[in-house]
């Protein structure tokens, strides 16, 4: 754009000064309102220094146009001659559209800025009360409130006061406003005012002297009779006080032509909005002593008497203070506080969570909750922590040694920056919001208001994310590092927690045996060795991850065991120190239950898998078989060969269980996997492949030890049940069938004896007492069950199935698949059984009735005595058996014509049944969800308890660990059981329809 002459020069200067619309700015400068100052370079420079020069210029023109008579020259002369006032006025106009609107409506209010022109004059409660003294009605109070607010905002945006002083002055202004509103309400109802005593208790940020520009002002009302009497006088006094309190709330909250001051929120009172607005002091105390929840005491930490009867207010504070500082002794105190914080985060709309400055992860509430939690834990014995202000409390925590000084300083900086962002966001339109704007112009104004001028948007986002990252680590920073100060050898004179205080903190954070935990910490971190120094760096983070589990004590104990075993190995501590993922992965694994730690303790060097990016990826069946067979081939004996194979199995079980835990729990860098079905499939495939490879290794060892390389009979092992379906869990046995075929020229009896011998040897080798878990081979699904021969020839199987096979045996063959031995013989076995398990034209009515009868009998006879049928994962309502029999019935009826149903895997068969139109999508989803959940519960029980089980654990900590594995937060075990019952109840309804034809 080309602008001739002076306008071209002005245009370029405006552009350099930060105006985003120089053309519009030039037109405003040419207006009559600024005629005497439009060419003054001082004014242009001052406008360019504001957060939004375009907004500041527009506001200035509106203000000048609103001046009457001789007022405009006074304003403009003062503007160019008085720098402090110029900076404040233009600073407000460039940062707040709402205050510019106020000045346009009340053009003389700019004089309020002259009062505080001296940088060292900071108004307090008395000055604000004076500023509101002439307001005798709600509208006048609003105007006077905005006038006082103008003086705070002007010094805030110019940097005369910092964010903490701004928040304190806003709280003082709120206090003065509550007093003025009560004065107006009392004047309107003098009889009520005379009939009662009313105290207004500020809560939240107002009570803590750290208020925002626009925020609900939380209060609690306390009433009493003028003479303190009870009975009818007290009841009448409470009624009168309630009317006064209600009028006070309306005065502040109602919207008029002058807008709203702020809502007065009394929902923090006993019983919340369902409770009476005003109570006597005795009624308050009775509630807090009998019924109050933990969060209510946390809220009372900031309680401060601000208006009304000062004696009654003081009595209230004196009475509730001891209750506040006893709150940490309540059962589940920390869990309750953490649960409340999680609930706040969970309620943030997904579209807003990344922009939520206050409530989101890494936001202001994270700091406030953590500081309050530390205050309540340690304030029982340290009155220096009794502060309602977050920053003052953080300073006290650092001074008392409860928080490291460096950590406190970083958190202080982060909190101040985030609060400053919040202030400037709200100041723009004086609206209650905590969302970081998305509009580029809003972000630019916000960044410039915080002093970021080169690339304001980019610099703002970078600084915001950096500070939020600090806050996200506050849990570790505030809770765990000081614990080491209690037990580590520190430099002389450094403040540290006493062992008693450290033990209290561990107990509050969920450690059931703080004394043992302290001993572990001392063993790990004391001394001046390099190992101890690295441990002191690692442990604060590790302790946080342990405490985030259902059994922190076990996590810490297991970590000590692993460290004792590997502490002198150079790579171990270096791995944990330098590979952040390895340390967090280890912490999750060690505190999630017994199985994975037990596997790791038998070979601690497997911890290296946790730091390898590929270390948690399952290995292929081919790779496993190759490694196992090679290890067996190198061994000197069958025992040594199978010992090597079982060692591989132990390592791979650890790999699989560790990956399962980490993917289920998630880490800071990698959230929990969202698809439970994928987790189940990954575990089932990995454990099944590993079992097949181990059995193949045992077969090779047994054959070589007795016959060299060639067995007198061809021999194949057929996996059935979960093994054949690639659905093994951590605690599953290997269900198999054995089939052999004598080699040419070998006597049948000799061949049968060889097959029997190799089976017995395999079983012996796989169950030898060693440090590795045994592998049990179960052949009870063979023809005639336990009464039948352990191994048959292929022709014997053919004869049996032709003459004697029952329907249930054909059903059992649905998941038959060769897993080891002679591949060609295994393939011929599958050819033999396919017509049985996929009968031509499907099942007849008699066969269907037989399957249904057998299933019903199993339900009535095999469920363990006393077991809850709604919670038994295998045989219970809607459990594994229900889903599998329903799917298998569809396979036997329709697989002859639907090739997709010819699979050994339950979920694949269910998906194929839906694809073939045999089951609606919704019902297929219901069955799949139930099957996956029941399978995950069984896996979780094994991971947590170290032994297999089909029901939920009865012990509370174990049940909580199962819940955490399944994605349920601490304290939500009831929801887990309810969800399980609901999901399986729906599945049973589908089974009744599809399987039983109900």
């Amino acid at each position: 754009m080309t602008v001739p002459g002076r306008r071209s020069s002005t245009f370029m200067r405006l552009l350099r000064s930060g105006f985003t619309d120089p053309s519009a700015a030039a037109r405003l400068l040419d207006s009559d309102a600024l005629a005497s100052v439009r060419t003054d370079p001082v004014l242009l420079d001052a406008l360019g220094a504001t957060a939004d020069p375009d907004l500041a210029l527009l506001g200035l023109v509106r203000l000048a146009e609103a001046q009457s008579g001789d007022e405009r020259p006074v304003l403009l002369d003062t503007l160019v001659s008085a720098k402090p006032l110029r900076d404040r006025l233009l600073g407000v106009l460039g940062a707040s559209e709402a205050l510019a609107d106020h000045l346009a409506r009340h053009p003389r209010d700019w004089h309020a800025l002259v009062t505080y022109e001296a940088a060292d004059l900071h108004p307090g409660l008395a000055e604000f009360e004076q500023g509101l003294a002439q307001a005798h009605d709600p509208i006048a109070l609003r105007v006077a409130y905005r006038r006082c607010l103008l003086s705070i905002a002007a010094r805030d945006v110019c940097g005369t006061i910092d964010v903490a002083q701004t928040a304190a002055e806003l709280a003082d202004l709120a206090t003065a406003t509550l007093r003025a509103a009560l004065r107006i309400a009392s004047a309107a109802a003098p009889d009520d005012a005379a009939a009662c005593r009313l105290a207004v208790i500020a809560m939240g940020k107002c009570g803590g002297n750290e208020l925002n520009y626009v925020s609900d002002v939380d209060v609690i009302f306390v009433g009493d009779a003028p003479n303190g009497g009870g009975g009818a006088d007290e009841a009448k006094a409470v009624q009168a006080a309630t009317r006064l309190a209600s009028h006070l709330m309306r005065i502040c909250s109602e919207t008029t032509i002058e807008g709203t001051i702020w809502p007065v929120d009394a929902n923090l009172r006993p019983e919340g909005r369902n409770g009476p607005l005003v109570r006597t002091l005795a009624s308050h105390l009775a509630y807090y002593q009998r019924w109050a929840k933990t969060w209510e005491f946390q809220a009372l930490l900031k309680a401060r008497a601000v208006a009304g009867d000062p004696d009654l207010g003081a009595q209230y504070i004196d009475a509730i203070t001891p209750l506040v500082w006893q709150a940490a002794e309540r059962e589940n105190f920390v869990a309750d506080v953490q649960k409340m914080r999680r609930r706040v985060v969970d309620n943030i709309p997904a579209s807003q969570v990344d922009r939520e400055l206050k409530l989101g992860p890494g936001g202001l509430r994270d700091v406030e909750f953590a500081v309050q939690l530390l205050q309540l834990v340690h304030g029982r014995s340290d009155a220096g922590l009794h502060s309602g202000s977050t920053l003052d409390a953080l300073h006290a925590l650092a001074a008392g040694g409860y928080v490291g000084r460096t950590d406190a300083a970083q958190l202080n900086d982060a909190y101040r920056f985030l609060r400053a962002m919040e202030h400037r966001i709200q100041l723009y339109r004086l609206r209650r919001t905590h969302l970081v704007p998305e509009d580029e112009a809003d972000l630019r104004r916000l960044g410039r208001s915080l002093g970021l001028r080169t690339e304001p948007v980019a610099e703002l986002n970078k600084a915001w994310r950096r500070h939020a990252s600090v806050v996200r680590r506050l849990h570790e920073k505030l809770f765990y590092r000081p614990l080491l100060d209690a037990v580590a050898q520190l430099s002389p004179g450094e403040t540290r927690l006493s062992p008693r205080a450290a033990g209290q903190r561990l107990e509050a954070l969920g450690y059931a045996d703080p004394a043992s935990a302290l001993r572990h910490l001392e063993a790990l971190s004391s001394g001046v060795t390099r190992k101890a120094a690295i441990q002191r760096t690692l442990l604060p983070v590790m302790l946080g991850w342990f405490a985030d589990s259902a059994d922190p004590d076990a996590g810490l104990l297991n970590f000590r065991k692993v460290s004792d075993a590997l502490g002198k190995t150079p790579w171990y501590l270096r791995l944990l120190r330098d590979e952040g993922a390895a340390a967090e992965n280890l912490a999750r694994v060690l505190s999630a239950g017994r199985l994975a730690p037990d596997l790791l303790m038998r070979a601690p060097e497997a911890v290296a898998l946790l730091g390898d990016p590929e270390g948690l990826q399952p290995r292929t069946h081919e790779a496993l078989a190759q490694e196992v067979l090679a290890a067996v081939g190198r061994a000197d004996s069958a025992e040594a060969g199978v010992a090597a194979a079982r060692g591989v199995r132990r390592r791979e079980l650890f790999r699989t269980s560790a990956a399962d835990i980490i993917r289920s729990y998630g880490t800071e860098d990698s959230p929990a996997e969202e698809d439970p079905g994928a987790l189940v499939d990954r575990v089932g495939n990995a454990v099944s492949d590993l079992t097949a490879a181990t059995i193949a290794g045992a077969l090779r060892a047994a054959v070589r030890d007795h016959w060299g390389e060639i067995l007198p009979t061809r021999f194949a092992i057929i996996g059935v049940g979960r093994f054949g379906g690639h659905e093994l869990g951590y605690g599953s046995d290997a269900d198999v069938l054995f089939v052999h075929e004598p080699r040419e020229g070998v006597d049948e009896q000799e061949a049968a004896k060889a097959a029997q011998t190799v089976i017995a040897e395999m079983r012996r080798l796989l169950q030898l007492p060693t440090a590795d878990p045994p592998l049990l081979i179960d052949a009870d699904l063979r023809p005639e069950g336990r009464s039948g021969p352990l191994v048959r020839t292929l022709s014997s199987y053919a004869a049996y199935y032709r003459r004697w096979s029952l329907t249930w045996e054909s059903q059992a063959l649905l998941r038959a698949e060769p897993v080891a031995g002679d591949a060609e013989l295994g393939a011929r076995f599958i050819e033999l059984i396919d017509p049985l398990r996929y009968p031509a034209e499907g099942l007849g009515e008699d066969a269907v009735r037989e399957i249904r009868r057998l299933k019903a009998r199993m339900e009535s006879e095999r469920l363990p005595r006393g077991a809850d049928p709604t919670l038994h994962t295998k045989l219970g309502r809607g459990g594994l058996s229900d889903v599998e029999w329903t799917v298998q019935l569809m396979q036997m009826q329709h697989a002859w014509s639907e090739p997709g149903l010819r699979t050994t895997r339950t979920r694949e068969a269910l998906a194929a049944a839906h694809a073939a139109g045999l089951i609606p999508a919704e019902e297929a989803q219901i069955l799949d969800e139930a099957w996956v959940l029941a399978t995950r519960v069984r896996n979780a029980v094994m991971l947590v308890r170290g032994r297999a089980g089909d029901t939920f654990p009865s012990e509370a900590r174990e049940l909580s660990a199962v819940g955490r594995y399944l994605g349920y937060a601490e304290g939500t075990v009831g929801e887990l059981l309810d969800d399980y019952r609901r999901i399986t109840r729906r599945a049973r309804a589908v089974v009744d329809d599809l399987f039983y034809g109900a």
Side-chain angles (χ1 to χ4, degrees), residues 15 51 121 382 452 487 518 560 635 768 777 779 889:
L15 195 62
L121 181 55
D382 188 345
L452 308 173
V487 294
L518 281 173
R560 180 182 175 182
L768 282 174
I777 296 178
L889 180 59

Side-chain angles (χ1 to χ4, degrees), residues 644-928:
R646 290 173 66 180
V648 173
R649 178 172 179 262
R650 177 236 311 129
R651 183 197 66 210
E652 295 304 318
L653 279 175
F654 173 75
R655 186 198 306 272
T656 302
S657 59
D660 189 18
I661 290 166
I662 291 162
R663 291 189 176 103
S664 296
Y665 280 71
T667 64
E668 183 175 344
D669 298 323
S670 178
E673 188 164 321
E674 293 184 0
D675 182 7
L679 290 168
V680 164
D681 291 344
R682 189 180 290 113
V683 171
N685 285 325
V687 177
S688 300
D689 286 346
L690 177 57
T691 300
T694 306
I695 289 176
L699 175 59
R700 170 72 63 86
V703 170
R704 192 184 66 173
D705 206 44
H706 288 77
W707 297 277
E709 294 298 325
I710 300 178
L711 191 67
T713 186
R714 303 176 71 181
F715 184 80
I717 302 173
I718 312 298
V720 291
R722 295 193 174 280
F723 189 12
H726 293 256
E727 297 163 353
L728 286 181
Y730 300 112
S732 301
D733 295 344
D735 290 315
V736 299
L737 301 176
F738 298 111
V739 58
H740 79 106
E741 187 176 68
R743 296 186 184 278
E744 186 175 350
V746 176
D747 179 72
E748 286 195 9
Q749 288 188 340
E750 179 186 352
K753 182 178 180 181
Q756 295 277 3
T757 301
V758 81
I759 292 170
E761 181 66 359
M762 285 172 56
R763 284 180 152 178
R764 182 185 73 84
L765 293 171
L766 290 172
Q767 296 180 49
L768 282 174
T770 69
D772 297 315
L775 175 57
L776 302 180
I777 296 178
D778 187 339
D780 288 351
L781 290 178
R782 64 188 183 270
E784 301 179 81
R786 296 181 182 180
S787 302
L790 189 61
V791 60
R792 292 174 181 262
T793 63
L794 187 61
S795 59
S796 176
Y797 274 107
Y800 176 85
Y801 288 139
R802 184 171 59 252
R803 299 182 60 189
W804 308 109
S805 177
L806 301 175
T807 303
W808 75 264
E809 293 177 296
S810 297
Q811 182 183 350
L813 293 172
L814 282 168
R815 293 197 285 186
E817 181 175 288
V819 294
D822 191 296
E824 192 271 337
L825 179 61
R828 285 197 285 129
F829 180 86
I830 297 302
E831 290 177 7
L832 169 67
I833 65 172
D834 272 351
L836 290 170
R837 56 183 180 175
Y838 310 134
E841 305 301 326
L843 292 175
E845 287 298 321
D846 290 343
V848 172
R849 281 195 296 270
E850 177 62 24
I851 290 176
R852 288 172 175 166
R853 277 198 299 267
L854 185 60
K855 175 72 166 68
R857 178 181 172 189
M858 185 178 69
E859 289 179 15
S860 64
E861 295 180 1
R862 294 185 58 189
L863 190 70
R865 181 178 298 177
D868 184 346
T870 67
L871 293 176
H872 197 279
T873 60
K874 183 177 181 180
L875 302 175
R877 179 192 68 189
L880 297 171
S881 176
D882 270 358
V883 177
E884 290 165 0
W885 281 60
T886 301
V887 172
Q888 290 162 13
L889 180 59
M890 286 189 286
Q891 287 181 282
M892 297 185 74
Q893 288 177 312
H894 301 284
W896 66 276
S897 60
E898 295 292 343
L901 289 171
R902 299 171 195 170
T903 174
T904 63
R905 305 180 186 220
T906 301
R907 298 188 70 214
E908 282 188 6
L910 184 56
H914 165 58
L918 302 176
I919 179 172
E922 182 180 0
E923 294 185 353
Q925 173 61 31
I926 289 171
L927 293 182
D928 185 73

Side-chain angles (χ1 to χ4, degrees), residues 292-309:
K293 298 180 173 60
T294 297
W295 71 264
E296 294 179 276
F297 294 105
Q298 184 182 356
L300 286 170
L301 190 152
K302 292 181 179 292
R304 179 171 64 94
V306 293
D309 189 290

Side-chain angles (χ1 to χ4, degrees), residues 132 150 195 267 278 331 459 564 754 868:
L132 304 179
L150 181 65
N267 288 337
V278 178
E331 186 176 359
E459 293 175 41
D564 286 346
D868 184 346

Side-chain angles (χ1 to χ4, degrees), residues 452-676:
L452 308 173
R453 297 302 175 93
T454 305
E455 294 286 344
V457 176
E459 293 175 41
L460 172 67
N461 284 324
K462 181 178 180 180
W464 173 30
R465 300 303 177 191
R466 183 180 73 252
H467 287 299
S469 177
V470 170
V471 173
R472 280 197 298 271
R473 296 196 303 271
L474 69 91
H475 196 64
E476 163 211 339
K477 294 288 186 180
L478 289 185
F479 281 103
Y480 304 111
R481 192 173 301 281
L483 290 171
L484 296 186
D485 295 347
V487 294
Q489 300 300 315
L490 303 177
S491 57
E494 184 172 353
T495 303
R496 60 178 184 157
L497 292 177
S498 67
R500 180 175 176 272
Q504 287 179 337
R505 181 171 299 182
L506 283 165
E507 183 177 7
L509 292 167
Y511 287 82
D513 188 353
S516 293
L518 281 173
R519 286 195 296 273
H520 299 326
L521 289 176
E522 185 171 14
L524 287 164
S525 63
S526 295
V528 295
T529 64
R530 181 174 179 79
K531 171 186 173 184
I534 295 176
Q535 292 282 25
R536 284 195 291 272
T537 301
L538 290 170
L539 275 167
V541 192
M542 304 291 286
L543 284 170
W545 289 323
F546 294 147
D548 193 39
S549 73
D551 195 350
D553 300 80
L556 181 56
L557 172 62
N558 290 332
F559 181 62
R560 180 182 175 182
K561 290 179 178 178
V562 172
S563 294
D564 286 346
L566 293 177
K568 294 181 180 180
T569 307
W571 58 264
Y572 167 65
L573 290 176
R574 186 169 62 246
L575 171 75
L576 299 185
R577 182 193 63 196
D578 298 339
E579 299 290 341
E584 184 171 4
N585 290 343
L586 179 62
R588 299 299 185 204
V589 168
L590 293 180
S591 56
R594 297 180 183 176
L595 178 64
D598 286 349
L599 293 169
L600 182 60
M601 297 309 168
R602 291 165 180 159
E605 65 276 3
V607 75
L609 297 174
L610 303 178
D612 182 352
E614 301 298 320
L616 298 179
Q617 296 299 319
R619 300 179 67 200
T620 65
H621 176 263
E622 292 74 16
L624 290 170
Q626 183 178 3
E627 180 181 5
V628 167
L629 293 176
V632 171
R634 291 191 299 268
D636 295 333
S637 65
E639 285 83 356
V642 174
R646 290 173 66 180
V648 173
R649 178 172 179 262
R650 177 236 311 129
R651 183 197 66 210
E652 295 304 318
L653 279 175
F654 173 75
R655 186 198 306 272
T656 302
S657 59
D660 189 18
I661 290 166
I662 291 162
R663 291 189 176 103
S664 296
Y665 280 71
T667 64
E668 183 175 344
D669 298 323
S670 178
E673 188 164 321
E674 293 184 0
D675 182 7

Side-chain angles (χ1 to χ4, degrees), residues 191-254:
D191 292 342
D192 284 341
C196 70
R197 301 163 67 201
L198 175 64
V200 183
I201 311 298
M203 305 285 284
K205 281 186 163 56
C206 184
N209 283 295
E210 50 185 14
L211 196 61
N212 296 329
Y213 276 103
V214 187
S215 174
D216 290 356
V217 171
D218 297 307
V219 299
I220 286 176
F221 296 110
V222 187
D224 202 354
N227 57 5
D233 289 343
E234 182 179 278
K236 291 180 180 178
V238 169
Q239 291 174 358
T242 300
R243 288 190 290 271
L244 285 179
S246 298
H247 193 182
L248 178 154
M249 295 175 70
R250 289 195 302 275
I251 290 171
C252 295
S253 305
E254 287 181 346

